[in-house]
Amino acid sequence: MSNFYQRVRRAINLSASDDQRVGDGDEGGRDAVRTDGGVVSEDSRNPGSEPGVLDRLAAGIDGRLGSDFLESSIFWIPPFLLMGLFVYGAVIWNFLISLTDYQRFANAPDYSNLDFEMYTRALADSGFIDAAVNTFILLVAFTAGTLAVGLILAILIDRGIRFENSFRTIYLLPMSLSFVVTAQFWLWIYNFNNGIANRVIGVFGLGPISWLGDQNIVLWAVIFALMWQFSGYAMVVYLAGLRAIPDEHYEAAKVDGASTLKMYWRVIIPQLKGATISAAVVLMVFGMKAFDFLYSLVGGYRPPNGADILATKMVREAYANLNWAYGAAIAIVLFAMALGVIGPYLVYEFRRNNL
Amino acid sequence: MKDDTLRTDGGTATITDRLRRNVEQMTIEDAGLYVVLLLAAGFYLVPIESGLVTSIKTGTAIVQTAPFAPPGPSGFTLAKWQAAVEALLRGMGNSMLYAVPATIISAFVGSITAYGLTIPDWKQSYKALVLALIIAGIFIPYQAVLVPLTQFWSQWAQLTDLLSFVWALGIPDDYVGIVELVVTHVAYGIPICTLLFRTYYKTMSEEMIESARLDGATLRRVYRRIVFPLSGPMFAVVLIYQFTQIWNDLLFTLVLVSTESSPAAPVVLILAGLGTSMEGQDFALRMAGAFFAALPTLAVYIFFGDEFAEGVAA
């Protein structure tokens, strides 16, 4: 390691030397700082001349925000602006559009007449209410179920088994697949006549059930399929959390005579709070993206009756019915739901200095 | 239990020896554990396996055999694969056309963003604020930006006109959708790529960078000479994660390219409508198509499974 460190040092020294026009290394560094900042006037490079206004401004900013602020800004400001424009700019724009009456084939919304008509329309639309309830059920049931399955798998795998890597690879495999692909698989599994699902419950003398045709069942069938796809993810997160718990905690619980079940419930699971929170947030985000799955299931904008969620309804209203403003309003509701989940999470991480 | 197994496995024991000892030590509890794990593995594999066997069955074999059983010699056919490849091949090319550049650019941009927000020395609380704003971007439901995105690309950024010299070369102007997809995926990929690199750069040796800075290296040089060369492992993780995400995404392709009949239609878009007709669904064709479309991500997963796991866990 120290050998490598020496090599790096030498490499830097070598290449830094041709940069040094004035004074020692430190001086050269300061010179380069100014040129990188891009706010330097030409004459300030000559030693001895008066520092320009911009120079003093730069020094002031750096003094306030930290010595590298200006020099580092070239690295993060352009991407930050691009991303800010596409994320925050677009969300604000979307909110503006949701206040207009923009629909059909007009090229651009008319921003002169803004009101909340689209939101009152949403509240009066039973399809919207159903979709909102379904979204809520899907998010809660999918997240809770996936976390539970992932935790159980992680605990089983963490018991020092053989072929751990193979099991882990298999459990995580569905996550590498696209929603479009897994939707095809589940469409086949839920097939009424030949699907595996009906064969399995047939063994117990049940069914056959029309999994995707029955309004009361289809949402749960979708949730089950999503759990299949993402419980491997929850397992990976929990596994990392379990590995971070020191062995002594297990031993101490054993010495105290706690049963295995009690040990996990009282000692281990409480320590997985951090893993649970971050996995839950990510899973909810995946849940909100279930649009791809539902779209591919039917190959169109209209998901099976009883499985309409806000994500599918928004895209359908905007891109199939061309009710752009109404779609934008639904999107804002969806965004608010997402914010309700991730806002507290980000504040929590920010407070813990985890960012 | 874990320790016991480890201790008795002397380094000199032959494999059969070891195996026998393991079997002897296997308690009922252990056996139960493995049974549960194997059942779970079956649960994760059956949908995929059933899709695979279905894709090589003839129409009659699909009805006559169990969905998870392989077809007999008379029920075996590769016709559906042939049809699927024919239908999806151009889509594969189109997907590659935007997934590869978008992946590489967003990984690189994420790397320099994370570098600028981690290594240089400026106020931690401001850094954290910028980071919070960036990280929040990971969790945005994309529905909230779709209508403006459509407006932006169709009304504001007149790419079709700007790139008229490209269409003059005989490339159909539908391919403007591919360019839009690259920019869009890069913009929305910045948050996750930044976060992944950020977790990596936080653990980087500070003294090495500090001494380089004292020796007068600029931030740009520190990045080029130290940070970038050391980012290799994280680049692997990010490239794999981003490629999978971009390849698998349907929503943006649906909005920006819109029709599966377009010459620029990506593979996911064609697949979503494959095998559906008035007479009902052609499941064998759908399964074959699903596998064919998943080949690149499956290959990436099989060869770089560890990096993938690391990417999703971060």
Side-chain angles (χ1 to χ4, degrees):
Chain A
M1 188 64 211
S2 70
N3 187 17
F4 172 69
Y5 172 65
Q6 290 286 338
R7 271 215 318 270
V8 170
R9 241 183 104 107
R10 225 175 301 141
I12 305 250
N13 272 334
L14 274 180
S15 45
S17 58
D18 51 41
D19 237 18
Q20 293 172 4
R21 279 182 294 265
V22 279
D24 57 13
D26 193 29
E27 196 70 25
R30 281 186 52 78
D31 191 49
V33 167
R34 289 197 210 117
T35 41
D36 266 4
V39 289
V40 160
S41 52
E42 203 35 55
D43 61 345
S44 70
R45 286 216 195 136
N46 305 322
S49 71
E50 285 290 303
V53 179
L54 284 175
D55 248 3
R56 264 180 285 150
L57 185 70
I61 293 176
D62 272 354
R64 187 174 266 262
L65 298 172
S67 58
D68 289 337
F69 181 77
L70 279 182
E71 196 190 346
S72 75
S73 60
I74 184 123
F75 289 97
W76 61 268
I77 284 190
F80 182 61
L81 286 181
L82 176 69
M83 167 265 166
L85 214 66
F86 270 82
V87 173
Y88 297 104
V91 169
I92 293 166
W93 191 0
N94 185 73
F95 180 65
L96 271 180
I97 293 176
S98 78
L99 300 179
T100 66
D101 300 327
Y102 182 32
Q103 60 170 345
R104 320 225 28 103
F105 294 102
N107 274 336
D110 168 19
Y111 296 106
S112 62
N113 188 14
L114 302 180
D115 54 38
F116 285 92
E117 190 199 322
M118 290 302 153
Y119 294 90
T120 49
R121 174 174 164 186
L123 288 177
D125 178 357
S126 69
F128 169 83
I129 305 288
D130 286 347
V133 171
N134 284 343
T135 307
F136 187 74
I137 295 176
L138 182 127
L139 286 186
V140 173
F142 160 69
T143 309
T146 309
L147 286 177
V149 175
L151 178 63
I152 293 169
L153 288 179
I155 288 175
L156 291 180
I157 279 199
D158 195 42
R159 294 187 67 87
I161 57 154
R162 298 186 152 245
F163 314 113
E164 182 195 310
N165 274 341
S166 314
F167 280 119
R168 219 182 45 193
T169 309
I170 291 173
Y171 297 162
L172 197 57
L173 176 63
M175 205 192 153
S176 73
L177 298 173
S178 164
F179 270 136
V180 186
V181 171
T182 56
Q184 313 300 326
F185 294 154
W186 284 94
L187 195 63
W188 178 226
I189 286 175
Y190 288 141
N191 183 267
F192 186 78
N193 296 317
N194 299 304
I196 291 180
N198 275 341
R199 290 206 175 220
V200 169
I201 61 165
V203 172
F204 302 102
L206 299 168
I209 292 174
S210 172
W211 297 96
L212 300 176
D214 189 326
Q215 284 196 38
N216 301 315
I217 293 176
V218 57
L219 187 63
W220 298 100
V222 169
I223 290 173
F224 189 78
L226 295 182
M227 279 171 60
W228 169 80
Q229 195 165 357
F230 290 108
S231 39
Y233 164 76
M235 175 207 68
V236 168
V237 175
Y238 274 129
L239 208 51
L242 284 172
R243 298 275 149 90
I245 296 173
D247 282 348
E248 292 89 63
H249 291 211
Y250 292 89
E251 278 154 25
K254 282 237 175 76
V255 170
D256 287 349
S259 69
T260 311
L261 208 62
K262 217 175 198 172
M263 174 181 81
Y264 276 107
W265 188 247
R266 291 266 173 83
V267 182
I268 304 302
I269 291 177
Q271 296 192 52
L272 294 172
K273 192 179 151 203
T276 307
I277 290 175
S278 58
V281 168
V282 173
L283 285 174
M284 285 202 188
V285 174
F286 282 131
M288 276 182 245
K289 289 184 180 168
F291 167 84
D292 287 14
F293 186 85
L294 288 166
Y295 181 92
S296 319
L297 212 50
V298 290
Y301 290 109
R302 186 133 220 9
N305 269 338
D308 200 13
I309 58 174
L310 287 179
T312 49
K313 184 163 173 65
M314 180 271 154
V315 179
R316 189 172 65 248
E317 289 294 349
Y319 291 89
N321 303 342
L322 302 180
N323 293 323
W324 303 104
Y326 189 39
I330 297 172
I332 287 293
V333 174
L334 189 63
F335 174 74
M337 278 178 100
L339 209 61
V341 175
I342 57 165
Y345 168 70
L346 283 177
V347 170
Y348 168 79
E349 295 281 301
F350 187 76
R351 289 242 173 89
R352 284 177 37 188
N353 269 333
N354 246 357
L355 289 176
Chain B
M1 172 181 74
K2 168 185 175 182
D3 289 349
D4 283 350
T5 341
L6 283 179
R7 246 176 262 140
T8 42
D9 279 354
T12 51
T14 63
I15 293 175
T16 40
D17 246 3
R18 215 185 290 172
L19 205 65
R20 194 178 312 134
R21 275 187 210 164
N22 278 336
V23 172
E24 278 163 11
Q25 281 172 359
M26 190 92 113
T27 59
I28 295 187
E29 197 186 323
D30 275 355
L33 180 66
Y34 283 98
V35 168
V36 172
L37 285 170
L38 281 174
L39 282 178
F43 169 66
Y44 286 101
L45 285 179
V46 158
I48 300 172
E49 187 266 349
S50 135
L52 190 60
V53 293
T54 305
S55 74
I56 51 170
K57 282 182 192 173
T58 57
T60 39
I62 285 184
V63 183
Q64 283 166 358
T65 55
F68 43 83
S74 61
F76 174 82
T77 174
L78 282 177
K80 299 297 177 185
W81 270 85
Q82 212 174 352
V85 170
E86 234 162 69
L88 294 175
L89 199 58
R90 73 187 171 93
M92 294 284 256
N94 291 333
S95 286
M96 283 291 175
L97 223 48
Y98 69 86
V100 171
T103 304
I104 293 170
I105 297 172
S106 60
F108 183 70
V109 171
S111 158
I112 59 170
T113 315
Y115 169 71
L117 290 170
T118 310
I119 309 272
D121 173 33
W122 48 287
K123 261 204 175 159
Q124 177 56 36
S125 55
Y126 292 117
K127 270 190 204 169
L129 197 68
V130 175
L131 272 167
L133 283 172
I134 292 181
I135 291 169
I138 300 173
F139 305 109
I140 297 287
Y142 290 140
Q143 269 77 8
V145 297
L146 280 188
V147 177
L149 205 61
T150 314
Q151 277 280 304
F152 177 75
W153 287 122
S154 65
Q155 304 298 323
W156 288 52
Q158 302 288 355
L159 274 188
T160 320
D161 298 344
L162 280 174
L163 298 173
S164 52
F165 63 94
V166 180
W167 322 138
L169 296 174
I171 298 168
D173 64 0
D174 282 66
Y175 276 87
V176 75
I178 299 287
V179 182
E180 292 170 358
L181 277 173
V182 172
V183 179
T184 310
H185 276 299
V186 167
Y188 292 108
I190 288 173
I192 182 69
C193 293
T194 304
L195 178 70
L196 288 170
F197 276 110
R198 156 97 180 148
T199 53
Y200 186 67
Y201 291 159
K202 264 207 292 202
T203 60
M204 223 171 227
S205 145
E206 267 177 38
E207 50 186 26
M208 191 158 72
I209 288 153
E210 231 156 63
S211 77
R213 294 285 282 149
L214 283 178
D215 286 347
T218 61
L219 281 178
R220 214 182 297 178
R221 168 159 284 125
V222 170
Y223 179 76
R224 227 178 37 225
R225 297 271 166 163
I226 305 178
V227 177
F228 182 72
L230 289 178
S231 303
M234 208 35 168
F235 262 103
V237 171
V238 173
L239 287 173
I240 284 156
Y241 182 82
Q242 266 300 89
F243 180 76
T244 316
Q245 291 298 307
I246 295 174
W247 183 273
N248 287 346
D249 174 73
L250 172 71
L251 189 56
F252 285 143
T253 64
L254 193 63
V255 169
L256 296 177
V257 182
S258 71
T259 55
E260 58 202 62
S261 54
S262 156
V267 68
V268 279
L269 200 55
I270 306 176
L271 176 61
L274 190 71
T276 322
S277 65
M278 298 300 277
E279 300 92 57
Q281 285 156 333
D282 186 343
F283 279 104
L285 180 60
R286 277 182 167 240
M287 297 305 137
F291 269 99
F292 185 57
L295 277 183
T297 50
L298 275 179
V300 159
Y301 182 72
I302 289 165
F303 291 119
F304 306 99
D306 290 340
E307 280 88 358
F308 183 84
E310 206 180 314
V312 298

